[in-house]
Structure formats: C-alpha cells, structure tokens
Amino acid sequence: MENYDAIFVFPKLWEKEFNPPNQPPYGLLMCSDLLLKKGYNVFVYDERLESLGVKKRSELVQAVKHSKPLFFGISSQSGPMIENGLIDSKLFKQECPDTPIVWGGVHPTLLPDQTIQHPLIDVVIKGEGELPCLGLAENLKKGNKDFSNIDGLYWKDKSKNVKINKPGQGVPDLDTVDMRWDLVNHNDYIRNIDGKKWLGLITSRGCPFRCGFCYNISFFGMRKFRGWSPKKVIEETKRMLDWGVQAINLDDDYIFGDPLRMWEILNLRKQ
C-alpha cells in the first residue's frame, strides 16, 4: 500500500446520490497537480461513487491507515455535503490526531469564520486551493505548523487560537495547472445522455460581472476572468475525444468571459 502525503476527499452531496456524476472533483484534481509536480504523493477519493458501487469506503480507510499524510483535504459545498465531510474529518482525527484537517471549496470560502470554529477543522482555505495546498505541504514537510507565511488561510495555532492570513491571489497562469485525470478513472464520469457519451470539463475561472446572487467575487476576490489558453483547451478536449466522449459539458462559470479566447478555441477546433 502506498504512503500518501496528501489525502483529498470529495464528500457525497447527499446521504445517497440520486444521479451519477458527470463532473470529476475539479478543484481537488487541480490542487493535486502542483503537489504531484513537486514530488508529493496524492490520493483523491470521490465519495459520490460509493452509491454507484464504483468505490468502496474501505479504499479510503486503507489509504488513511497505511499513510502518514502531511494533511487531509476536504472540499465542500453547502448542504448535506458538510455533514458527510465532518464524518470523514472524524475518521481522520481518530486515525491521525496530529495531522491537520484542511477544508476548502465554496462553503468554507463563503463562511470561513464559521467553518474554522469546528473542533474537527484545523485549516480553512479561502478561495483557490492550489498554492495554499502546496504551501501547507512544504511547511509540514519541514515540521513547521506555523502557517502565517501562506496566503489565503484561516488556521488554528498550537493554542487553538484562530489566525487569519492575508487573502490569496490565486495561480497567475492557469496553463501551469493540469487536470489530473490520472488520479481518478475518467470512465466513472462519462454518462450516456440521449445516446451520446457526455463528460464535463472546466477551462476557466472567474467572471467580469458582479451579479448579486453569484459566489464569484467572494470566492476569487476579484472581477476577473482567467482561463486556459485556447491551445491547452484543445489539447484537453482531444484527450476526452480519444476516450470516446461525444459531447463535452463546459462547466465554466462564464466561458464567454473572454470572447476572443472563445473564438480562437472554436477556430482551432475546426482545424
């Protein structure tokens, strides 16, 4: 059994999933990329697949029991996902009481003060997670649990006092971050809809607008659109087509945030 430096979990959205997912855990796969490129070993577990019989809880339990991770990471939206994430956090705390448990995602970003108060949570990442996750790994590898040097964190010191760091800026060049499909089985996310094989993809972040109902400004801290270059988008879609995918669901918040980029993607696709 491998020893994992970071164990990431995407909790179930409900007590039991109603529909099979056609979206992988995007955030966790991209957070894993910088860690893997720095030589860290990463395990990603998608709880949504348990209800489909694709994944067994024992896989996660064994990964935890046979590893000495630097930290555990949980991505959470609001709703029942929080309760499911806390069940995972309890397991982690029982097996590795001295290993930090890190929460990130939309809910912890919108409510970081509330989230960090829970006794099972040691660190909250507010906003994008790639750079904070790498910073945590680098600190913990040296035995340093003072995270004051890592932007975008709410964290507890040795006395359980909550510390709030300055906001994170996010990855400046998204082309440096890959979607690590090698950490999951892509076939688990391909769905047959209207006779075609569908799979989700996300190619950009952010939005130039400020709609009152949207999470974007709170999450990214800016009114700005950023995305993979057209060339990288085409490379990713070609890979999916090689898997037999016939329709790609673009899950970007606002893929037309840069119209010229979108035109170039379409022109490259024709070629």
Side-chain angles (χ1 to χ4, degrees), residues 6-142:
I7 294 178
F8 289 136
V9 176
F10 194 80
K12 292 179 290 188
L13 300 174
W14 310 96
E15 182 177 343
K16 183 177 181 179
E17 296 300 312
F18 298 102
N19 297 299
N22 75 331
Q23 304 171 340
Y26 295 124
L28 295 183
L29 297 187
M30 298 185 88
C31 284
S32 299
D33 182 57
L34 296 188
L35 291 170
L36 290 165
K37 287 173 178 173
K38 287 290 186 177
Y40 295 101
N41 203 13
V42 183
F43 179 80
V44 173
Y45 186 80
D46 189 344
E47 275 189 0
R48 296 174 298 172
L49 300 174
E50 288 180 359
S51 298
L52 307 177
V54 175
K55 287 287 184 182
K56 294 183 179 179
R57 183 74 173 176
S58 58
E59 294 180 43
L60 175 60
V61 173
Q62 290 302 310
V64 173
K65 287 182 177 290
H66 290 86
S67 297
K68 295 181 179 179
L70 297 170
F71 68 94
F72 296 101
I74 293 179
S75 178
S76 182
Q77 303 167 16
S78 299
M81 202 174 185
I82 298 170
E83 183 178 354
N84 294 327
L86 290 174
I87 292 172
D88 297 323
S89 298
K90 186 175 181 180
L91 166 67
F92 300 154
K93 194 64 77 174
Q94 288 172 342
E95 294 294 333
C96 305
D98 297 324
T99 301
I101 296 175
V102 183
W103 276 53
V106 176
H107 182 85
T109 292
L110 297 181
L111 295 170
D113 297 283
Q114 180 191 83
T115 305
I116 194 62
Q117 296 300 325
H118 199 283
L120 291 174
I121 299 173
D122 303 302
V123 181
V124 167
I125 296 175
K126 180 176 170 62
E128 295 181 30
E130 288 88 356
L131 295 178
C133 281
L134 181 58
L136 286 166
E138 301 279 67
N139 268 32
L140 292 165
K141 185 179 181 180
K142 300 172 186 175

Side-chain angles (χ1 to χ4, degrees), residues 105-248:
V106 176
H107 182 85
T109 292
L110 297 181
L111 295 170
D113 297 283
Q114 180 191 83
T115 305
I116 194 62
Q117 296 300 325
H118 199 283
L120 291 174
I121 299 173
D122 303 302
V123 181
V124 167
I125 296 175
K126 180 176 170 62
E128 295 181 30
E130 288 88 356
L131 295 178
C133 281
L134 181 58
L136 286 166
E138 301 279 67
N139 268 32
L140 292 165
K141 185 179 181 180
K142 300 172 186 175
N144 179 14
K145 290 190 175 182
D146 181 349
F147 304 138
S148 55
N149 62 320
I150 304 171
D151 294 345
L153 296 188
Y154 285 55
W155 58 285
K156 295 171 183 170
D157 63 16
K158 293 180 179 179
S159 301
K160 300 300 180 182
N161 297 312
V162 174
K163 305 292 184 179
I164 303 175
N165 296 355
K166 65 179 182 180
Q169 299 302 310
V171 178
D173 180 5
L174 287 182
D175 270 11
T176 63
V177 181
D178 296 319
M179 189 77 69
R180 295 308 295 249
W181 286 100
D182 53 319
L183 295 178
V184 294
N185 185 341
H186 62 267
N187 289 310
D188 293 338
Y189 302 96
I190 296 176
R191 296 289 161 253
N192 193 311
I193 302 175
D194 295 330
K196 291 186 177 181
K197 292 182 177 180
W198 285 70
L199 182 60
L201 177 65
I202 189 167
T203 73
S204 66
R205 298 176 184 178
C207 178
F209 304 113
R210 57 181 312 134
C211 302
F213 58 81
C214 187
Y215 80 104
N216 244 283
I217 293 178
S218 296
F219 192 92
F220 296 108
M222 63 184 92
R223 288 175 56 194
K224 185 178 180 181
F225 176 90
R226 294 173 298 142
W228 279 341
S229 66
K231 179 182 177 182
K232 189 172 180 68
V233 173
I234 293 301
E235 290 173 352
E236 190 70 20
T237 56
K238 282 182 177 178
R239 173 163 56 169
M240 297 170 79
L241 294 174
D242 288 341
W243 293 338
V245 173
Q246 298 165 296
I248 298 173

